[in-house]
Amino acid sequence: ENVLTQSPGTLSLSPGDTATLSCRASQSVRGNYFAWYQQKPGQTPRLLIYSASYRAPGIPDRFSGSGSGTDFTLTISRLEPEDFAVYYCQQYGGSPYTFGQGAKLEIK
Amino acid sequence: QVQLVESGGGVVQPGRSLRLSCAASGFTFSSFGMHWVRQAPGKGLEWVAVISNDGSRKWYADSVKGRFTISRDDSQNTLFLQMSSLGAEDTALYYCVKKFRAGSNPEALDYWGQGTLVTVSS
């Protein structure tokens, strides 16, 4: 199983700041089949980034993904109040399609 | 628009079985692989199972392998999850989720249903 470890667990920032969330895989992710999701309280997850660096339809360009192999990053520039949420990484290059444990982005 | 509506959750005793359903609409169901993902109360996301668009390939999380079976009925645009030998660790909100794009390539997950809650308790 490809274990994904997200860091930091909680990130406290202010609107207008830049958030950098990391996800490290225990094995190389095949084909860079890697995604990021956002989940707000009481809501279902929303796909932000697929294939490590491609924004899903309707996602603002403030969100960007990068990385390959075992190390991936989600960067959110110019934080808006609605960006404060929990973020999950996921690899779908091979079964089981594991998620990271989640990272909470909170308002400082 | 894409709609995924899960049903079949409820309170079940340990060791018993339960069958979840997901009614899909708004897209060509038979063209898309489909997933089940669960989330225990207050916890993170856990991927459970996936079935290919033609139903020929299925994969499971180690935690459910041998106990859960994913299936689909394209004539009814419905996804199923048959769960057996349930334990407290299976208590969670179960989401039905659509693959981002059609075809056989690996894809991220885009549309999520609202989920159906399964509680395993005596």
Side-chain angles (χ1 to χ4, degrees):
Chain A
E1 174 174 319
N2 199 346
V3 177
L4 303 184
T5 303
Q6 294 185 235
S7 61
T10 301
L11 185 59
S12 300
L13 293 171
S14 301
D17 288 347
T18 295
T20 302
L21 303 176
S22 298
C23 186
R24 174 163 287 177
S26 61
Q27 307 166 33
S28 184
V29 176
R30 182 177 74 91
N32 267 5
Y33 291 126
F34 193 89
W36 290 94
Y37 302 86
Q38 176 194 66
Q39 188 177 31
K40 298 178 182 179
Q43 296 186 17
T44 60
R46 176 173 70 149
L47 175 64
L48 300 174
I49 302 289
Y50 66 95
S51 296
S53 61
Y54 293 86
R55 274 187 298 278
I59 301 303
D61 61 7
R62 301 183 290 102
F63 291 85
S64 63
S66 63
S68 64
T70 61
D71 291 290
F72 298 86
T73 300
L74 174 69
T75 302
I76 313 170
S77 305
R78 307 179 305 279
L79 283 168
E80 298 281 348
E82 62 266 26
D83 297 336
F84 292 91
V86 178
Y87 291 84
Y88 294 93
C89 57
Q90 184 207 20
Q91 69 82 21
Y92 52 96
S95 179
Y97 300 162
T98 43
F99 286 93
Q101 81 277 19
K104 184 178 182 180
L105 177 59
E106 65 177 24
I107 298 177
K108 187 173 182 180
Chain B
Q1 71 281 19
V2 173
Q3 283 199 319
L4 299 167
V5 180
E6 303 93 337
S7 61
V11 180
V12 60
Q13 293 179 327
R16 304 298 292 265
S17 299
L18 205 60
R19 189 196 202 200
L20 305 183
S21 300
C22 170
S25 61
F27 65 104
T28 306
F29 182 71
S30 59
S31 295
F32 288 83
M34 297 292 296
H35 298 252
W36 288 99
V37 176
R38 68 185 181 184
Q39 188 167 32
K43 303 297 184 183
L45 302 173
E46 181 185 14
W47 177 81
V48 173
V50 61
I51 186 168
S52 61
N53 60 308
D54 63 0
S56 64
R57 288 160 289 154
K58 305 173 186 180
W59 292 272
Y60 300 91
D62 290 345
S63 58
V64 307
K65 200 173 296 183
R67 300 188 301 121
F68 289 14
T69 301
I70 189 171
S71 62
R72 62 191 298 155
D73 182 348
D74 288 353
S75 69
Q76 298 291 322
N77 288 350
T78 303
L79 178 72
F80 301 101
L81 185 67
Q82 178 68 47
M83 306 184 295
S84 62
S85 302
L86 287 163
E89 68 277 10
D90 298 313
T91 293
L93 186 63
Y94 284 74
Y95 294 107
C96 163
V97 195
K98 171 187 163 290
K99 265 180 70 174
F100 177 38
R101 291 178 293 198
S104 59
N105 287 339
E107 293 288 351
L109 313 179
D110 60 354
Y111 284 93
W112 299 61
Q114 290 301 308
T116 186
L117 182 62
V118 173
T119 302
V120 183
S121 173
S122 54

